[in-house]
Amino acid sequence: MSEQNNNHKSPEHNVAHDNVEHKESILEETLDEFDPKKNSGEEATIENEINLDTFKARIAELEGEVKQAKESTARANAEAYNAQKRMEQEADKSKKFALQKFAKELLEVVDNLERAIENADASDPVTEGVQLTHKALLSVLNRNGIEVIDPQGEKFNADVHEAVGIDADADVVGTVLQKGYSLNGRLLRPAMVRVGQ
């Protein structure tokens, strides 16, 4: 029993370090070892012929390359972002104006319904059906971004009106021969009008 106790010493007692005396920490000793002011004789730090300017120049060169790489990455990211935004805008435009050709053809149907209403007998029950059909068609067009341009009595605007005749009042739309239409703010068909001189 006593032999076992002698063989098992406490963990605090480490034989390997008993014969080494440390006045300073290992870090301090290491720093002192490489400090030329504290070393002399056989323990002196070996003099080297390294030119620090060479290393400084190389560090500056590498820093310049890193800066260029960062700038190139930032430019590439900006270009990718701009390209994505352009594609989104083009897709949005395509969605908005995909109906343009179809809508132009539907305008002929609207015109024919309006002519039928103008020339119909008000007492004829078919007239009411044509009026309801006209109203429903305009409602569908409106929900899809198509707006009516009916400039009766307004000042003439060459951007949305097409003058095809002359009326008495100067610079004012007198007679609307054919209504105009726009699709999501873009002119689909100008209003054909008579305008004063």
Side-chain angles (χ1 to χ4, degrees):
M1 203 68 173
S2 62
E3 285 180 22
Q4 286 178 339
N5 288 342
N6 288 340
N7 290 341
H8 294 289
K9 293 185 179 179
S10 67
E12 297 167 5
H13 184 71
N14 192 337
V15 179
H17 295 289
D18 282 350
N19 59 353
V20 179
E21 289 184 20
H22 292 286
K23 294 178 186 173
E24 312 177 88
S25 72
I26 301 292
L27 176 62
E28 289 171 336
E29 286 181 7
T30 305
L31 291 172
D32 288 346
E33 183 181 337
F34 289 97
D35 186 351
K37 293 176 186 172
K38 294 187 180 180
N39 291 325
S40 60
E42 292 177 5
E43 296 179 357
T45 304
I46 299 168
E47 291 291 327
N48 60 56
E49 297 178 8
I50 296 172
N51 184 352
L52 289 180
D53 291 338
T54 305
F55 286 103
K56 287 177 184 174
R58 182 64 179 144
I59 289 169
E61 184 183 330
L62 292 172
E63 284 174 345
E65 288 176 11
V66 168
K67 186 179 177 184
Q68 280 182 342
K70 284 182 179 177
E71 287 172 359
S72 297
T73 303
R75 273 195 301 275
N77 287 341
E79 286 173 12
Y81 177 79
N82 290 336
Q84 181 184 354
K85 286 294 170 193
R86 279 194 301 274
M87 286 172 61
E88 286 172 5
Q89 287 170 353
E90 288 300 319
D92 193 41
K93 273 186 191 175
S94 296
K95 285 178 195 170
K96 274 187 176 179
F97 303 110
L99 295 174
Q100 189 165 343
K101 186 177 178 187
F102 177 66
K104 269 188 173 179
E105 291 177 9
L106 275 182
L107 296 183
E108 292 178 24
V109 177
V110 174
D111 292 340
N112 289 334
L113 287 172
E114 287 175 353
R115 284 189 207 102
I117 291 166
E118 284 173 17
N119 297 314
D121 184 359
S123 61
D124 188 350
V126 176
T127 304
E128 188 179 350
V130 174
Q131 287 172 334
L132 289 172
T133 304
H134 176 255
K135 186 177 178 183
L137 181 56
L138 286 179
S139 177
V140 169
L141 292 174
N142 192 260
R143 280 197 305 271
N144 287 281
I146 298 168
E147 306 264 336
V148 179
I149 301 171
D150 189 1
Q152 185 75 51
E154 294 178 6
K155 190 172 174 61
F156 178 76
N157 180 352
D159 293 333
V160 290
H161 307 148
E162 183 180 338
V164 292
I166 298 170
D167 272 351
D169 293 332
D171 238 7
V172 174
V173 173
T175 309
V176 177
L177 302 173
Q178 186 181 56
K179 292 177 186 171
Y181 291 88
S182 64
L183 173 61
N184 292 315
R186 181 190 283 181
L187 186 65
L188 195 58
R189 182 179 83 183
M192 290 175 64
V193 300
R194 291 171 65 89
V195 67
Q197 282 186 318

